[in-house]
Amino acid sequence: MISITCLLIFQGAYAIDMHFSASDGSGDRVSIWDSYNVDDDVKVWGKSSAGFGEGLKIDDIRGLAGPGSIYAVQGYAGSGGYVGMSYIYAEDASQTLARGSAHLTPDALGVVQDVSIKDAEMSAVVSTADRCGRGAMQHAFVGDGSLKSTQTISVNGGIATSQDTQMVGYLPTAFGTAGYMDVNMGPGTLNLQGEGAAVAVSSLDVAGPATVDCKLATGTGNSAWAYGDIRYAESDLGAVGAAAGAGKIDLEADWTGGLPGLFIDGYGEAAAAGIGAIGLDNEIKGTLEARTGDAGTSASGRGIEASNREGIVAAAAAAGNLGVGVDLQNGIIGGGAEAAGVGILAEGRKNEITSETLAAGTGFYGTGAYGGGIEASNRVGTVVAAAAAGGLGGIVDLQNGFIGGGAEAAGVGVMAEGRRNWIASDVLAAGTGWDGTGAYGGGIEAQNREGAIGAAAAAGGLGAGIDLQNGFIAGWAEAAGVGVMAEGRRNWIASDVLAAGTGWYGTGAYGGGIEAQNREGAVGAGAAAGGLGADIDLQNGFIAGWAEAAGVGVLAEGYRNRISSGTLAAGTGWYGTGAIGQDIEASNKEGGVAAAAAAGGLGASFDLQSGFIAGGAEAAGVGVLAEGRRNEISSGTLAAGTGWYGTGAIGQDIEASNKEGGVAAAAAAGGLGAIVDLQSGFIAGGAEAAGVGVVADGKKNEISSGILAAGTGFFGTGALGAEIEASNKEGYVVAAAAAGGVEGAFDFNSGNGIVEAEGAIFGAGAEGGENEIGVGLVAARVGNSADVIAIDVNARSIEGAAGTGVAAGNAELQLTGGTPTSLVAEGSAVGAGGIGATADASADLLMAESGDSTSASGENLRLTVIEGDGIIGAISGTYDSSGPDRVASVEGDVTAGSAMIWGDFSADTSSSASASAENVGAVGTNIYLGSYADDGTAYSEVYSTLGAGGLNFGEMEAYAGDSTQAKLKYKVVGNYQIVAVASSSNPPDFDTDSDGGWAMTIKDVSGEAWTDNTGAHADVI
């Protein structure tokens, strides 16, 4: 083994340069050089050794010690292409102590320098290395203070540098960088490739010394990376900050053919993460990392903490990329960009934020940002936590006249503003890539007093395509959002999940486990989604478009508000647009609470060449409302949607309670369609709607409903309510369901047209004190016909009124030459109602239908009145502008008495007008029963009064068509009277008959009246 050693020791004011190198004769070479400029009291020593036996190498150790100023540089080089430098600088230091070692081979370098500088006006320690354009560096400096830094250089395949540094003084700053840049430029060409990473920490205190304690590392090889462990950085009055970032660029350009032949192809990407605090008593800590590579560019922060007093603290991570392609020779221009970020902010007084993880990245599969274990606390100011992502792309084909582009974005955030704010979130994330753009927040909590807090997630997408050669334009847009908010005093929000996204399969927003609580202000929770699209063919004069939207929400306003919801979601996509809310609760005192879901769709097409226009619209909604004092709402599910198969809204297990105000629950749906042919002057259209609702107004109100639903689509429009209950004291309660449809066609050339309409409705109501309604099932639908159904209906009132009933009707209008020539209408209804001290109306089944004819029926329809008036019965009627009107009815009345009347009542217009009742019974005082039929030229009537007593097994009939007929039959005990009357005009005739008296035992009584072509007839048995 052969070695050479050089030893140097000196002390004094010297400026000395020293160089030591070695080679083995085969071309391998290593060298080290030193430059020292030191004060008199500084001692410098060093030792270098060269070895050849086990490969060429140099080993070096050195040291510096003493007070004063120092500027020392040591350099390193190897024939393998690396260069390294170490710097030590101290100005008027009270003491400097430095030790270093270096190991050099032709292809590798290892350096360690340990430096301590005390009480210097300025001090710095720097380490750098470079090979073949790739480099890394560490830098630490501080003014008017002290520094202790251990720094390393490693060159062995890649390049890495590090520092472990503690500093106290003015603006202590430490940073590290790594990366490379390769630039090749020729005549009319440019090729640029590069990547880099950096990490830094700094602290500023304008009133005194600041502190930094950190460990940093950077490197580059196949990729560039940077790492920072910020153990401590603080200032009393000023600012502290730390960040890590990375970036990458790849660009190729060729303009040798001038502007017409310009070619550009390239991309760039970057990511960063940081912590900062500005104000009083600032402090930050955490781990930061950034890197580039084949899989993309990323930056992250772990174990982040930042706090201060009366200032601002923030932590954030972000990433983005940009790509461009230009080929003017072929007329192609393309480009794209995407970005994502996550951040936390606290502004005001006594701010504090912590985050287990903050990360952002961009690469082949997209761009994303993530924050985990986030907490932000503030008093008197504002705190915010948010994540967002977005993407943008476009392409232009100048030769073929084609333009295409798209954009998408997503975000999630939590905010608290006011006094004593606090936010916590397990996860905040946002991303955009091949499969779409999304934002997500999990385990969110937000608390505030006297201010406002909000949590939200949103996503949206936009796309367009333009073909100028063929005159074709197409585009689409979609958006979704979900949010929670509390404003006022003593606010609090918690949500397991807030999410929003847009992509290939649509756009959606989701919130799970949501809670919102407030006192004296307002709380709200909502989810919404929408979509919009259009196609335009200018050559063929064709235009088509569509739009759809859905939403669900909960609101409480007033005093002592509270909302909780298991799920809030809304979405739009290939299969339609929808919104859903599950396990919703809303409570309030003295204000109002509301829960709702809605959806709608709109579509249209225009053929301008042929003058053809077609369009359609549909909508559905379901809602619950409580207004007044001590309000409360709960709902298992609220949902609304629109899509290929129609539009619908549903609410399940709904409850609403109130005292002194009003509560309401409702579901509704509707559809609209039209066709217009301008060339032939033809117009056709249709509309349909259905709804179901419950309302209670007054004091001590309460509503509950197993299901409320409404829908419209290809097979018709409907509304459904199941197991509905409504109770009230001193006010009124109502339950109702309705369905209807209208369609028509008109020819402007001939002036001929037709309009048809049909509808059906059910209702139950109670007014007064201690009112109650219960409906096992209620439904309304319109398709080929309109029908409504109600099962197990109840309506009860004490000292007020009660009623229930169903009705159906249809009408047809014909126009000839623009003039109405025919109007035909028909309707049927069954109902019972009463008013008095106690009134009760109920039915086991109520049905109404309107199709080719109308019908209404009530099974076991019952009316009870105590000291009041009431009516129960069935009626049907027809109207024909070219013929007589017809009406038939059967009814029972109570006038200023106490009685009960029951039976199976029905009415229909299938064979003109008819009404009937079976199993009729009555008991009490002042009771009236009657059957009546009228065909416009004749009438028949049979009626009976019961002063006191009872009757049973009764039958009632009425018919009005080509003739009229009325019947009444029953078994009676008590004081009764029965009268039959018939009258006709063709031939003119009149007849009457009657009977009455006291029936001490059961007596069979019957009466009949009728008219025909022989005259009028009346008979009582």
Side-chain angles (χ1 to χ4, degrees), residues 164-168 172-174 201-203 209-216 228-236 240-242 275 281-287 303 305 307:
D164 192 334
T165 301
Q166 298 81 44
M167 294 177 284
V168 178
T173 301
V201 57
S202 184
S203 181
T211 303
V212 167
D213 184 352
C214 67
K215 182 178 180 180
L216 309 181
D229 181 5
I230 316 302
R231 292 184 289 251
Y232 191 72
E234 65 89 18
S235 68
D236 292 333
V240 292
I275 320 167
D281 298 332
N282 305 302
E283 181 179 343
I284 61 173
K285 62 177 64 177
T287 301
E305 297 181 13
S307 68

Side-chain angles (χ1 to χ4, degrees), residues 618-635:
E618 53 190 14
V622 61
V624 187
L625 171 70
E627 194 281 334
R629 194 166 182 268
R630 296 180 184 172
N631 308 304
E632 182 179 345
I633 291 180
S634 67
S635 173

